[in-house]
Amino acid sequence: MSYVFFPGCSLEGTARDFHQSTMAVADALGLALPEIPDWICCGSTAAHQSDPLLALALPAKSLAAAGGKTVVACCAACYSRLKTANHEISKNAATRRKVAEALGHDYDGKTPVAHLLEVLVRDVGLAAIAARVKRPLEGLKVACYYGCLLSRPPEVTNFDDPENPMLMDAVCKAAGATPLDWPHKTECCGASYSITDPGIVLDLTREILAMARIAGADCIVTACPLCQLNLDMRQKDIEAKFGEAYGLPIFYFTQLLGLAMGLAPKTLGLKSLVVDPMPLLAANGVV
Amino acid sequence: MNQQSHLAAEFTRRVLDLREADFAAEVERASGANLAACLQCGKCSSGCPVSARSSLRPHVLVRLVQLGQRDEVLASRFIWECTSCQTCTTRCPQKVDIAAMNDALRRMSREAAKVFGETTVPVFNDIFLRTIRRLGRMYEMGLMTSYKLRTGRLMADVDKFPMMLAKGKLALLPKKVRGAAERKKLFENVRRAGGKKP
């Protein structure tokens, strides 16, 4: 199958390590991920809170430029906006017409969209991934954190079970790690309120970190730039405000998978993580 | 009059007030959410991540909309605390799209100039969208600078900047994306479709 990549804005900024580790892993697995030429921002929360047509037209513009190939996204928010645009445009002729007027051309809402986790599990296959693992992450207890927008609403994303998704758990297991059964897989981290109302983010990320620790996790694994940044960068603020130090490394799933595949840490952007993962990785014999 | 019959009378008065009932119809039209289907079971509120901190909860908000409480709803803080996590919409046994309702309420709140005073979310959203129109993609440094200047929150998270720069988390310059004229046209077309001057 051939794909085109929609990195999304975060992967060019705060989540450059997600971009780097995605490319490293894709390369090693023989997945070609050329970018959609001149893709533009999906509009994110700002667009859907402000203008419903803009919220569909922005992703539709990039989807229409995909040449009919499957669009792969890494950011859960981009994924959600791309999927929502397809859902609304393909099911409603009036919406399709309005979007066409905004774009200046028709778009049918049928460009397939997949998250990288879906590509890894459904297209590449867990057996093929396991076959590439050189340094299984034995003994590493991971809490897979999916956040909101990969699995919700299921009618739109059709990603996995909305209450207990398992795709990331399956990838981590193929990498030799031990994914934990824990209840906060799809709780919200507060996302972009990190800037406008950080109190919300501190409360919500604190709950997630606390639950991961109670579940016995060595680290949290994420699939979204906002989840990762909030859980990683806000640990210091949580310590200052609540006097609770978690010290939990927050990885992207591509970073852990890359390590298990024997890729060099520097090709996986581990230095960009705020909570230093090296002591944990060294203690587990990964690096 | 006891509390129950007082509520019943109040309910009837509100339901019969057509001008107020218009509000629910307006929200339904703007959001596509079938608010009349709400059973007030509270499942949305028990899963809502901001219910605990907020003055309102999702099922209460739906009720207020049904009862035509335009001012209270549009001026509420809750609609700017909703994280758009879609838990309410996903779990609703009646398939009421509460997250879409909140999007519509935020737009209506802005149009009616009723936005809760302390929230900076609309400022953030405007800067965000202006950046996309101009550059095609988000430029975090520019977004943060404009946001700080517009809101006066100059010192918020300043300690994060050196760390983020050192860790390669911030691009110093925006990426160049082709198609500026096309983008401008897209934004103009959207504004025109919304009945605004392009």
Side-chain angles (χ1 to χ4, degrees):
Chain A
M1 201 182 288
S2 63
Y3 307 97
V4 281
F5 190 37
F6 184 90
C9 306
S10 292
L11 270 74
E12 294 189 333
T14 49
R16 278 197 270 186
D17 45 342
F18 197 7
H19 194 276
Q20 213 182 341
S21 52
T22 293
M23 288 302 142
V25 165
D27 232 29
L29 290 170
L31 275 177
L33 292 177
E35 282 189 21
I36 298 176
D38 295 311
W39 60 270
I40 58 170
C41 174
C42 71
S44 190
T45 310
H48 76 71
Q49 288 190 348
S50 306
D51 190 309
L53 178 57
L54 186 65
L56 301 179
L58 289 171
K61 187 169 185 319
S62 301
L63 288 168
K69 292 183 177 163
T70 296
V71 172
V72 179
C74 276
C75 168
C78 298
Y79 173 78
S80 162
R81 296 321 306 167
L82 297 172
K83 282 272 195 175
T84 302
N86 272 349
H87 184 75
E88 301 287 329
I89 292 166
S90 63
K91 78 168 191 196
N92 188 323
T95 304
R96 178 171 168 177
R97 222 167 22 247
K98 275 190 219 160
V99 171
E101 277 163 26
L103 292 178
H105 60 80
D106 184 43
Y107 169 63
D108 61 7
K110 289 186 180 150
T111 300
V113 174
H115 188 269
L116 182 61
L117 280 169
E118 295 176 294
V119 174
L120 290 180
V121 175
R122 290 172 193 162
D123 299 350
V124 177
L126 294 168
I129 292 173
R132 304 298 295 260
V133 168
K134 292 184 187 140
R135 260 188 319 206
L137 309 173
E138 268 161 34
L140 193 68
K141 295 198 288 293
V142 303
C144 291
Y145 175 66
Y146 297 76
C148 304
L149 296 175
L150 288 176
S151 64
R152 284 193 296 260
E155 295 82 2
V156 172
T157 66
N158 195 24
F159 173 82
D160 197 353
D161 186 312
E163 303 291 353
N164 187 23
M166 290 299 287
L167 290 180
M168 203 183 337
D169 295 63
V171 169
C172 288
K173 206 170 164 194
T178 308
L180 299 169
D181 188 13
W182 71 305
H184 278 34
K185 281 181 169 181
T186 62
E187 290 296 310
C188 177
C189 74
S192 63
Y193 285 159
S194 196
I195 294 163
T196 51
D197 207 338
I200 293 181
V201 170
L202 291 192
D203 285 353
L204 298 181
T205 47
R206 178 191 180 205
E207 287 283 326
I208 295 160
L209 292 163
M211 192 52 85
R213 187 155 77 181
I214 291 166
D218 298 321
C219 60
I220 297 178
V221 194
T222 62
C224 168
L226 282 171
C227 298
Q228 196 284 335
L229 189 66
N230 283 343
L231 287 171
D232 195 10
M233 193 178 76
R234 294 294 174 194
Q235 287 190 41
K236 233 181 174 176
D237 303 312
I238 289 169
E239 190 176 345
K241 186 169 173 186
F242 300 104
E244 296 167 6
Y246 288 96
L248 276 173
I250 313 292
F251 294 100
Y252 289 110
F253 68 94
T254 43
Q255 292 175 318
L256 280 190
L257 180 57
L259 286 168
M261 290 166 67
L263 306 179
K266 68 170 192 229
T267 67
L268 301 169
L270 294 180
K271 286 220 163 85
S272 292
L273 301 179
V274 179
V275 176
D276 183 7
M278 287 312 181
L280 173 68
L281 295 174
N284 279 268
V286 181
V287 290
Chain B
M1 210 189 293
N2 68 23
Q3 175 74 359
Q4 233 172 355
S5 56
H6 169 73
L7 285 176
E10 179 74 354
F11 175 65
T12 313
R13 188 185 69 74
R14 292 182 192 284
V15 170
L16 290 181
D17 187 323
L18 291 178
R19 200 172 51 88
E20 287 180 345
D22 275 353
F23 180 57
E26 207 180 313
V27 177
E28 288 201 340
R29 265 198 310 277
S31 63
N34 180 13
L35 303 180
C38 173
L39 300 170
Q40 290 292 298
C41 70
K43 199 175 178 188
C44 51
S45 298
S46 53
C48 172
V50 293
S51 261
R53 64 180 295 126
S54 207
S55 53
L56 285 178
R57 288 175 293 158
H59 76 285
V60 178
L61 188 68
V62 174
R63 197 69 175 134
L64 289 170
V65 174
Q66 287 175 336
L67 296 178
Q69 297 298 287
R70 181 189 293 268
D71 289 350
E72 189 177 348
V73 167
L74 296 187
S76 73
R77 176 172 201 159
F78 179 78
I79 56 176
W80 303 104
E81 288 180 314
C82 157
T83 62
S84 303
C85 74
Q86 306 274 348
T87 304
C88 50
T89 296
T90 298
R91 292 186 183 166
C92 176
Q94 290 291 91
K95 301 265 168 232
V96 179
D97 194 345
I98 301 169
M101 175 189 80
N102 285 349
D103 274 344
L105 292 175
R106 287 184 272 249
R107 294 194 300 272
M108 291 166 75
S109 169
R110 294 194 68 176
E111 277 159 21
K114 296 266 183 210
V115 175
F116 176 76
E118 286 164 40
T119 183
T120 58
V121 174
V123 175
F124 177 83
N125 287 351
D126 286 352
I127 298 170
F128 193 104
L129 294 176
R130 223 179 24 242
T131 307
I132 300 172
R133 191 183 57 201
R134 224 159 41 84
L135 301 172
R137 293 178 197 167
M138 185 35 55
Y139 170 48
E140 286 147 342
M141 291 273 269
L143 172 80
M144 286 310 296
T145 309
S146 304
Y147 174 78
K148 281 174 175 295
L149 291 174
R150 282 277 301 278
T151 57
R153 294 187 182 181
L154 297 175
M155 298 314 286
D157 282 330
V158 281
D159 59 315
K160 301 283 188 299
F161 275 90
M163 178 277 285
M164 292 180 84
L165 280 172
K167 293 199 169 285
K169 286 182 173 293
L170 285 174
L172 289 175
L173 294 170
K175 280 255 170 163
K176 283 210 162 63
V177 189
R178 289 175 301 178
E182 240 179 284
R183 259 188 334 263
K184 188 163 168 258
K185 191 96 188 119
L186 187 156
F187 274 85
E188 282 173 6
N189 289 343
V190 166
R191 280 187 70 81
R192 197 174 294 117
K196 291 174 196 141
K197 270 196 287 188

